[in-house]
Structures are given as C-alpha cells and as structure tokens.
Amino acid sequence: MKMVMINVCSWGLMMSLLGVMMVGDGGRLVAGEGLLDGSKLEMFVDELPHMPKVLGYHVGADGKPMPKSLTIGMFYKKWKFHRDLPATPVFAYGKSPATATVPGPMITALHGVATLITWLNHLPSRHILPYDTTIPTAIPPHNSGVPTVVHLHGGINEPDSDGHLKSWYTNGFKAKGPEWMKKTYTYSNMQQAGNLWYHDHAKGLTRINLLAGLIGGYVIREPKVEAVFGLPSGDEFDRVLIVFDRSFFVNGSIYMNRTGDNPTIHPQWQPEYFGDVMVVNGKAWPYMRVQRRKYRFRIINTCNARFLNLYFTNGLDFVHIGSDSAYLNQAVLTKETFVGPSEIFDVVVDFAKSSSDTVVLANDAPYPYPSGDPVTEASGHVMKFIINPKPENDGLKLPTKLANYPSPDPLSVSRTRYITLYEYESADGEPTHLYINGLANDDPVTEKPKVGAAELWYLINLTEDNHPLHIHLALFAVLEQTALLKEEEFKKCMTKLKDAKMCQVEKYARGEKVEVPAHEKGWKNVFKMRPGFVTKLVVRFSYVHSNSSYPFDATAEPGYVYHCHILDHEDNVMMRPMKLTK
C-alpha cells in the first residue's frame, strides 16, 4: 500500500550517488543476454528430487541418541533447475561443493537432543545478483565478500544462535557484523516436534541470498509422541516440498531486476520479487510418481513475496495436521491451502481417493496479494502427481486428535501491545520503505517481553498488502481479525501520532470480523496480516508442549527480531528488534 506521502527525492538522489548497485560473478547479468520466457519451458519433465538427508544426532553404543556437531558450508556452484535450461550459478548449502544442493540438505533432529552446526561461508568475493546499498545493508570493508548468517526459522534457541541480521560474516570470517558472536550455533531442539527451515538472514541481503539458493529444511522429530498419530512415514511417503519462484535469463542465470521502481531513491530495490517459474525441491514444475495411498507433505513456501493458494485440479482434499512448527490439536480437512511466504503447512493427501491417474497441484493466488494480477499459466502450476492405477491399502487411519497443547488464554496475558505496519512512498507515488510502529530496525528497542510471559498483540495493518508476520523465538495463536472502519481517518491520526491508543483504535476496529481458519488456529510463528484489519494474537515466550523453562538465557545479546516475511519488505526495513527481560 501507499501509506504516507513524503518527499524524499532529494535525499534519495544523494543516497543513489553514494550507494552502489552491486553486480557480481564476472558480469553474468550483461544487458542484452535476454530474459527467458518461463512459459516456453515444458512443464513436468523433471522428477521431484529427494533432498540429501543429514542427521543432527548420533546414536551411541547403548542405542541412545546423543548430540552431534555438523559442519555445513555455503558454496558457489551451478545447479540444473530444468532439463532444457542451462545450469544456473547459485549459492548452495552442503557439506562440500559437490554435494551442495538447492535447497540445502534436510536436517533431521530429535527432540531433546542438541544439534551443533558450524555454518561456513565459502562464497566468492562478489555476489551473483545485484543489490542496493541505499537500503540498510551489511557491507564488509572494501565491499569484499558476501555477508551471510543462518537463521533457523521456527527454532526456539539462544539469541547468539538465532542468526541475528547483524551477526553476519564473510568467507573465512574475514569480516564480521557488529553483533557477530560465535562460529558454532547450538540448536537445543527442546521445543515441540515440528517443521522448520533454515535460511540466510544477513542485513539488507536476505532477499538476494535466498534468491541465490540459501534455503533448506529442518525437522524435529519426537518418535514417542508422533508414533501414536499413525501418519505416513518413511522417505517415500513422508516428503518435504520446498516451493519457490524464480525468473531466469536465457543463459540460465537467475534474473533479479537491476533497476528499482524508485531509481532516484533506491537504484535497484523493488517492493516485491515474483518469478515466472515455479520450483519445488530445486526442480521447475517437477512430477512425482505416487501410489494410491496416503502421503504426508510438509509444504514450505520459501518464495520472496509470492503467496500460494494451493489446490488439486481434480478436487482432492488436504488433511491438515500441522501449521508452521507445531502439530494441530486435531486434523482439519480443506479443499485449498493458503500459504504465505515462509509459512509451513503439514498435510496428508490420500491419492486412493483420486478420480484420475494424474493431478496437478495448482495455485491461484493473485500477486502481489491480495489485489495484484491473476496468476499466469506458468505461475498457476506447481507440480504434477502421476498416480499408479493399482489400488493399495496402506492400513493407515488418520487420527482426529493430534497434539494436546493448551489453548490460548487472553485473560492470562501480562501485557498488551499495539504493533502497526506502515508503508511510505515518494512524491511520485512509488514505495520507498516500510516500517513497524513508524520505526526503523536500528531505532531503540521498544518490545521487551518477559521470559515465560504471554502477551496480547494487536497487529494493525495500514497498508494495501497482506504481510506474513514472523516472530522469532515466540509462538502465537491468532484469535480474531477485525476490519477497520473509517480507515483513512484512522490512518491520518496514526501517521501523525504513531500511537494506537491515543488514536482510539477501539473506536475504528469495529468492522467485519473474519474467522481464523480452523487449520490456522494452532500455535504458529507466522500469520498473514490482512490489509485494513486489526489481528489479535496471544504471544507466548515459553514452550507450549511443557512447563519447562528455556535451557538458555533468552535475555542475552544480541536479542531477537520480528518482521514481515516478504523478503523485500524486511530488507527495507519492516523489522524491529526484540529484547527479552527477566
């Protein structure tokens, strides 16, 4: 949305002269090479790959699991996204250049058993994609090296292992960010069983480092708890689907715009990136052969900005069993699955109920969401399933009851906060930056929740966009969404005062109430904030599966953050620091 009119042209011109739009890898993005029309690529010609699996634990001589130390690198290499597309220069996670993949290896951890990972940056001195130093950006001395830092999304971990945006470092730790703490991160895995993913989180570079390939899956298993659910299991029937969109040049290189919407202010930054090729597990529009039985799919939307409204073209159902990093308390059946950027939905699909021998997993979410363009033929298809016509009895009966986590209690909260989302624009109506509570990320900390506390947060979205809000460390449950009345009047007050209580938010938050979908009523770490609505959350800074205290000091430096997970928004700079207290 175009939230506030401010004249920043003169400032932007100065910054554009000072800033540098960096283009790396020996000039791969040479003008005239030509942008590939993704629709010309044939769909469903590459098989869905299994990502390499890495165990985050040892099994001792006595059969008991033990903590394990891993070393995972970030490498420059070339990756084949499609049979007919030249190999693409990427950044990839892996144990070696030869074994590195996009996405990176699937890390499997065990509840209660720590995994220690040393994330090593082996990347070249220059980036393979353009970026914009007029937004707050990690810039190493002499612009030498690609800054990176890994965040385990959904992880409940100590602050110095959370992957703070200012804890970045370059190849060989030659340059380090101001909040760099240590080389090896400790993931305690003490939280509930569930799905997570890891990705780069460097200041101002998240959107391009993920675009280059720095993403991967992570799962915490708790066999004693999960065995009773009777869910599909094993590598063949329990699959992670990591979905993202990309555009390419005809030479196979990833396309990233070189000119911004507001070039006199930000030479390169644009408010959203959308690709015209849908990729799953590193292959464009892959196919998967399945039997007529139940399968479990852990669907992770790792797109920079694209929302996905997923459905099967023959009407097959999704049975939701989990959302983000937690199981639901009971299974929920839907025809569609609406997945915001960075959200995870854990579903079971029964292909025995298919009326056809092939089916496409499709998408019909407009982009930008919700008021953008309709999907194209290319972005409206995700992957294809080829179903064996022979019936099979898998012997599985899905449970109606799953986890037994406590329900959110708004009466138990110790503090109420109002969090407001703003977007600003230049005099010619183009976005310049996005703030939370009218503050930049580098402004002083204002959110200081207590360890173990529950708080009530009202998220007020004054923009035209839906923003997937992600809170590090915490889990939250969404209670309700209420439309704002006389929105322009309220915006005018908020633009001036930046204080929801002084602007009498309760007077305006009296419009339509939209019920939270049943499969999104569990404990989450991301939720889609509707434009023009106030979304009410109960936020917990404690575990939900037990009364145990964190096994680490959550009040330590460098603290945590919360932010919009549209990557182009969080980089500029819809992100705020959060410092826990005792």
Side-chain angles (χ1 to χ4, degrees):
M1 173 189 179
K2 283 46 173 188
M3 167 53 204
V4 182
M5 299 291 288
I6 52 176
N7 190 342
V8 291
C9 290
S10 58
W11 171 86
L13 180 60
M14 177 185 71
M15 289 302 291
S16 67
L17 292 172
L18 293 175
V20 182
M21 185 185 72
M22 304 300 295
V23 183
D25 194 38
R28 286 201 172 273
L29 304 185
V30 177
E33 284 189 333
L35 183 63
L36 175 75
D37 180 354
S39 67
K40 303 301 183 184
L41 291 173
E42 185 178 352
M43 297 182 186
F44 317 130
V45 298
D46 292 292
E47 189 166 7
L48 179 79
H50 283 275
M51 305 320 299
K53 182 181 288 187
V54 173
L55 296 182
Y57 59 92
H58 283 297
V59 177
D62 58 359
K64 294 181 179 179
M66 301 169 57
K68 185 176 182 180
S69 294
L70 301 172
T71 298
I72 297 177
M74 300 160 240
F75 301 96
Y76 168 86
K77 67 178 298 180
K78 291 191 175 181
W79 182 260
K80 283 284 285 183
F81 283 102
H82 187 277
R83 180 194 66 187
D84 302 327
L85 186 67
T88 300
V90 296
F91 293 162
Y93 288 115
K95 291 191 171 183
S96 69
T99 61
T101 54
V102 178
M106 186 69 197
I107 301 172
T108 300
L110 281 181
H111 171 77
V113 182
T115 301
L116 290 79
I117 304 182
T118 302
W119 302 96
L120 294 180
N121 182 337
H122 297 288
L123 299 177
S125 60
R126 299 187 69 192
H127 214 290
I128 59 174
L129 296 172
Y131 61 95
D132 193 330
T133 57
T134 66
I135 66 174
T137 303
I139 303 175
H142 314 297
N143 285 318
S144 178
V146 177
T148 64
V149 62
V150 179
H151 169 58
L152 180 57
H153 179 110
I156 299 177
N157 295 301
E158 60 191 10
D160 57 1
S161 294
D162 190 57
H164 193 278
L165 71 160
K166 297 178 184 178
S167 297
W168 55 266
Y169 51 95
T170 60
N171 189 323
F173 300 97
K174 293 185 181 73
K176 305 182 187 76
E179 299 288 354
W180 186 87
M181 305 291 284
K182 60 183 182 180
K183 293 182 179 181
T184 300
Y185 282 12
T186 299
Y187 304 119
S188 65
N189 301 320
M190 291 295 293
Q191 65 195 79
Q192 72 289 340
N195 302 302
L196 302 85
W197 63 292
Y198 57 93
H199 62 79
D200 187 73
H201 210 261
K203 181 179 181 180
L205 299 173
T206 302
R207 70 197 186 287
I208 64 163
N209 284 349
L210 270 68
L211 204 63
L214 294 180
I215 54 178
Y218 190 108
V219 62
I220 299 175
R221 298 185 184 274
E222 190 172 4
K224 289 182 180 179
V225 171
E226 297 178 277
V228 299
F229 298 158
L231 299 170
S233 60
D235 291 345
E236 183 178 356
F237 307 114
D238 180 358
R239 300 293 298 268
V240 175
L241 304 180
I242 298 179
V243 184
F244 52 88
D245 57 341
R246 297 290 184 271
S247 289
F248 299 93
F249 287 99
V250 293
N251 71 351
S253 299
I254 295 170
Y255 168 78
M256 178 68 170
N257 59 284
R258 284 166 284 180
T259 304
D261 292 353
N262 236 329
T264 60
I265 298 168
H266 299 306
Q268 184 271 335
W269 178 81
Q270 289 185 347
E272 287 97 12
Y273 174 94
F274 298 105
D276 63 353
V277 175
M278 300 303 299
V279 181
V280 187
N281 290 8
K283 294 296 179 183
W285 304 292
Y287 68 87
M288 177 182 173
R289 299 186 185 277
V290 296
Q291 300 175 32
R292 285 189 172 269
R293 55 156 291 159
K294 299 179 189 70
Y295 282 73
R296 180 178 185 174
F297 296 112
R298 306 165 190 256
I299 302 170
I300 311 176
N301 180 355
T302 65
C303 297
N304 279 36
R306 186 181 293 277
F307 289 72
L308 302 170
N309 192 48
L310 301 175
Y311 65 96
F312 288 104
T313 52
N314 66 354
L316 275 175
D317 297 322
F318 300 92
V319 179
H320 289 258
I321 58 173
S323 179
D324 292 334
S325 59
Y327 278 102
L328 299 174
N329 282 1
Q330 59 185 30
V332 178
L333 186 144
T334 70
K335 286 291 185 185
E336 299 178 343
T337 297
F338 183 38
V339 196
S342 84
E343 274 193 301
I344 304 174
F345 284 102
D346 200 341
V347 301
V348 173
V349 177
D350 190 353
F351 291 104
K353 296 181 178 180
S354 175
S355 59
S356 57
D357 290 340
T358 63
V359 61
V360 171
L361 181 64
N363 161 52
D364 64 5
Y367 65 102
Y369 189 84
S371 56
D373 296 328
V375 293
T376 63
E377 180 75 9
S379 60
H381 292 74
V382 179
M383 65 178 291
K384 182 179 183 179
F385 295 92
I386 302 172
I387 307 167
N388 190 323
K390 181 181 178 181
E392 178 175 324
N393 181 10
D394 56 29
L396 298 176
K397 183 179 179 182
L398 295 182
T400 55
K401 299 291 184 182
L402 292 161
N404 188 30
Y405 300 144
S407 299
D409 180 8
L411 299 179
S412 68
V413 301
S414 60
R415 176 78 183 260
T416 297
R417 298 184 191 273
Y418 295 90
I419 310 293
T420 306
L421 309 179
Y422 296 84
E423 183 175 88
Y424 301 84
E425 64 178 33
S426 62
D428 60 359
E430 291 294 339
T432 58
H433 59 289
L434 303 98
Y435 279 173
I436 297 176
N437 285 344
L439 298 170
N441 178 70
D442 289 331
D443 287 326
V445 180
T446 51
E447 280 66 60
K448 299 178 180 180
K450 290 185 177 181
V451 175
E455 297 191 345
L456 199 61
W457 286 25
Y458 288 92
L459 267 295
I460 305 166
N461 186 355
L462 298 183
T463 82
E464 292 177 355
D465 295 324
N466 190 311
H467 298 279
L469 189 89
H470 174 48
I471 306 177
H472 287 216
L473 180 73
L475 289 163
F476 59 79
V478 185
L479 302 181
E480 64 183 25
Q481 303 167 92
T482 307
L484 289 163
L485 299 177
K486 299 181 180 179
E487 187 177 349
E488 291 304 317
E489 180 180 300
F490 181 62
K491 286 180 187 176
K492 186 176 180 181
C493 180
M494 289 295 291
T495 301
K496 180 180 180 181
L497 300 181
K498 299 182 177 64
D499 189 309
K501 293 184 75 174
M502 290 181 66
C503 288
Q504 298 178 285
V505 63
E506 69 280 356
K507 171 183 168 183
Y508 297 95
R510 299 167 63 88
E512 172 195 9
K513 287 191 181 293
V514 176
E515 185 174 357
V516 179
H519 63 285
E520 299 196 53
K521 288 184 176 179
W523 292 98
K524 294 176 60 63
N525 58 64
V526 179
F527 191 74
K528 302 169 285 284
M529 303 298 159
R530 285 173 170 259
F533 273 71
V534 178
T535 303
K536 184 179 180 181
L537 317 175
V538 170
V539 186
R540 281 184 61 139
F541 297 94
S542 61
Y543 294 126
V544 295
H545 70 291
S546 75
N547 293 321
S548 300
S549 301
Y550 294 146
F552 52 83
D553 181 5
T555 69
E557 297 297 337
Y560 300 94
V561 295
Y562 67 96
H563 56 87
C564 171
H565 220 291
I566 292 176
L567 304 182
D568 315 271
H569 293 183
E570 72 169 270
D571 275 352
N572 188 29
V573 268
M574 203 173 231
M575 180 186 297
R576 287 288 295 145
M578 182 174 68
K579 188 74 169 64
L580 270 69
T581 60
K582 293 181 179 177

